[in-house]
Amino acid sequence: MKIVLQDVTMVYGQRKVLDGCSLTLEVEGLTALTGPSGCGKTTLLRLLAGLERPQGGTVRGIVPEESAILFQENRLLPWRSAGQQIRDVLPRSRWGEVEEWLRFAGLEGEGDTRPASLSGGMARRLALARCAALGGGLMLLDEPFAGVDEQRAARLMQRLEELGRPVLLISHEPSVLERCRRVYRLEGPPLRLVSAP
Amino acid sequence: MDLLLPSPMAVAASLWKLAGTPQFWLSALFTLGRVCQGVLGGVALGSALALLTHFTVWGERIFAPAIRVMRATPVVSFILLVYLWVDRATIPAVVAGLMVLPILWGNLTVGLESVDRQLLELARAYRFGRWKTLRLIYLPSLRTHFASGLLNAFGLAWKSGVAAEVICPPALAIGSRIQQAKVALETPELFAWTLVIVALSLGLEGILRRVVHPREERGQ
């Protein structure tokens, strides 16, 4: 899929995160955005998810309502168990898939565990599984493997590929970037494309 | 001496005598019923108004100042005002409800303002509907605010309900019996009824505490 930003401007207070930004992202399988912290990658992802509105310009090629975003924070509901977190995003007709998604995240047998009892890596994997379970088209993942060991991250990336959905992810990890089909390098603020595949 | 400060024995004897009459149990039961009615009404109305004032601008503008005034009004003014509008037997429940309403409203309003914005954004991004957001995010977030509000409000409802019964005594009520004991200078009976009120209040608060803070939350 091709996402096109045309003259997009976004200002937070005095800070111009995007200043007439025009770029085209070809998202195919696992596609990565990388660049220094604070350059505007997260803002770009939030913009694509429809959580931010640009002050100017247009975004084409994406339907925010059909995308699924994994936030930089896990945002798990502290009072719901791991299984319930997955079930909460599934329609009733798909409740039978809960175990399958827990397996996706390598959390078999943890269905009754509350987030407070999960390690940082386990919580991250659960948040990723919940995002993937949500369904829809494009997946927007903000540092999906933060706190996840390299081996598990590789396994999760393989499973994400197997889903056959376009994935746009933010990462700084060389091992993650290596496994992505496309890598866009960004700089900023204001955000600009440094290199495209 | 028993007229000013009765001995514990005199109070115990009075309590024993009272407990042997059906009026004692009926008075306690009716008072309890009126206070519980008031608490239920106050909780329902306070919760509904908290949602209304939090989610609507017009609700906030119309009701928030009125509830703040209500919170600052002395209980005795309420009792005398309500006496003009409703019959005696209903006054304690209405007064108890009016005491509960602003406390519940205040606690839930603070709770609603402190609901995690990130979780609300998640609900929006993950396309939770209104009901699902209420059930999965708002209600669990508000639980502790609701519980502490209810515990505080219940004690106040109990005291104000009995006070209303003393000032506007209905037929069967603890407050009416206190009033009769005072008029007849039956100080041991006055103390005995006070003991009943304290015991009932502590007992009910204990039960309520167990209901709103389940065992695992109390760290047992």
Side-chain angles (χ1 to χ4, degrees):
Chain A
M1 69 186 296
K2 190 191 269 189
I3 301 166
V4 182
L5 277 78
Q6 190 74 47
D7 287 329
V8 175
T9 298
M10 279 206 62
V11 184
Y12 283 124
Q14 299 288 314
R15 196 161 160 257
K16 272 194 172 175
V17 185
L18 279 83
D19 187 11
C21 177
S22 294
L23 56 89
T24 302
L25 300 169
E26 295 254 14
V27 185
E28 193 189 332
L30 298 182
T31 302
L33 299 175
T34 191
S37 299
C39 74
K41 303 182 297 294
T42 295
T43 302
L44 174 61
L45 221 62
R46 291 175 57 83
L47 186 75
L48 298 179
L51 297 171
E52 305 282 355
R53 281 200 180 162
Q55 276 98 15
T58 54
V59 180
R60 281 180 286 128
I62 182 169
V63 183
E65 293 77 27
E66 287 171 13
S67 65
I69 186 169
L70 172 71
F71 294 95
Q72 211 165 34
E73 315 81 20
N74 293 326
R75 303 196 188 186
L76 297 169
L77 307 183
W79 39 81
R80 306 289 282 170
S81 67
Q84 286 172 327
Q85 312 264 355
I86 304 279
R87 205 180 68 177
D88 290 342
V89 302
L90 295 171
R92 192 176 282 266
S93 57
R94 290 176 56 208
W95 280 5
E97 293 176 18
V98 170
E99 276 305 317
E100 198 180 308
W101 287 109
L102 286 172
R103 260 199 309 280
F104 172 93
L107 292 171
E108 304 90 327
E110 300 289 349
D112 294 328
T113 311
R114 296 258 178 118
S117 305
L118 296 173
S119 70
M122 288 163 97
R124 193 63 184 151
R125 284 185 273 136
L126 175 60
L128 175 61
R130 180 180 62 176
C131 174
L134 184 62
L138 178 66
M139 287 176 71
L140 302 160
L141 313 179
D142 198 345
E143 304 202 27
F145 310 112
V148 178
D149 63 79
E150 211 178 304
Q151 240 179 347
R152 278 191 193 276
R155 219 174 301 153
L156 282 168
M157 289 182 79
Q158 192 191 334
R159 288 174 185 167
L160 282 171
E161 280 266 34
E162 285 164 8
L163 292 177
R165 286 162 58 185
V167 177
L168 185 61
L169 63 88
I170 292 175
S171 183
H172 299 104
E173 293 293 322
S175 58
V176 172
L177 299 177
E178 269 170 27
R179 290 190 173 88
C180 289
R181 285 200 217 170
R182 292 170 166 269
V183 178
Y184 290 89
R185 291 183 195 280
L186 305 164
E187 265 186 12
L191 188 80
R192 63 184 182 279
L193 190 62
V194 178
S195 75
Chain B
M1 186 59 193
D2 270 0
L3 186 67
L4 290 179
L5 189 65
S7 66
M9 288 305 290
V11 174
S14 178
L15 188 59
W16 181 253
K17 201 175 123 195
L18 283 171
T21 63
Q23 278 81 4
F24 171 86
W25 298 102
L26 285 173
S27 297
L29 199 67
F30 274 75
T31 294
L32 185 64
R34 289 186 196 104
V35 171
C36 287
Q37 270 181 351
V39 169
L40 285 177
V43 165
L45 212 56
S47 306
L49 284 170
L51 292 174
L52 201 66
T53 54
H54 181 77
F55 289 110
T56 65
V57 178
W58 62 267
E60 159 74 18
R61 287 200 184 139
I62 294 171
F63 294 110
I67 298 168
R68 287 191 190 103
V69 169
M70 195 187 277
R71 192 158 49 185
T73 307
V75 63
V76 70
S77 306
F78 272 130
I79 296 170
L80 297 174
L81 272 173
V82 172
Y83 198 5
L84 298 173
W85 304 324
V86 299
D87 65 284
R88 272 183 193 206
T90 318
I91 295 168
V94 175
V95 169
L98 289 173
M99 290 292 109
V100 170
L101 188 154
I103 296 176
L104 248 290
W105 174 81
N107 271 44
L108 289 180
T109 300
V110 171
L112 283 163
E113 280 160 10
S114 61
V115 172
D116 191 336
R117 304 284 134 190
Q118 289 194 340
L119 293 185
L120 292 176
E121 188 181 56
L122 172 99
R124 192 155 57 94
Y126 283 20
R127 301 178 275 283
F128 288 4
R130 272 188 200 174
W131 169 242
K132 201 170 183 178
T133 307
L134 181 75
R135 189 171 59 84
L136 294 181
I137 296 174
Y138 278 107
L139 293 182
S141 304
L142 291 175
R143 210 174 134 199
T144 50
H145 292 90
F146 180 81
S148 67
L150 187 61
L151 282 171
N152 288 335
F154 190 81
L156 200 62
W158 185 244
K159 280 186 272 192
S160 57
V162 174
E165 288 179 345
V166 171
I167 296 174
C168 318
L172 279 169
I174 293 178
S176 312
R177 304 299 301 269
I178 288 178
Q179 171 71 347
Q180 285 162 15
K182 190 209 85 179
V183 170
L185 297 178
E186 283 285 352
T187 318
E189 197 177 318
L190 194 64
F191 271 79
W193 278 113
T194 307
L195 270 181
V196 171
I197 294 168
V198 171
L200 274 174
S201 178
L202 290 177
L204 290 168
E205 196 189 307
I207 294 170
L208 203 60
R209 203 175 283 280
R210 272 167 209 284
V211 173
V212 294
H213 296 303
R215 184 177 275 260
E216 76 248 32
E217 279 178 30
R218 297 198 306 270
Q220 289 170 21

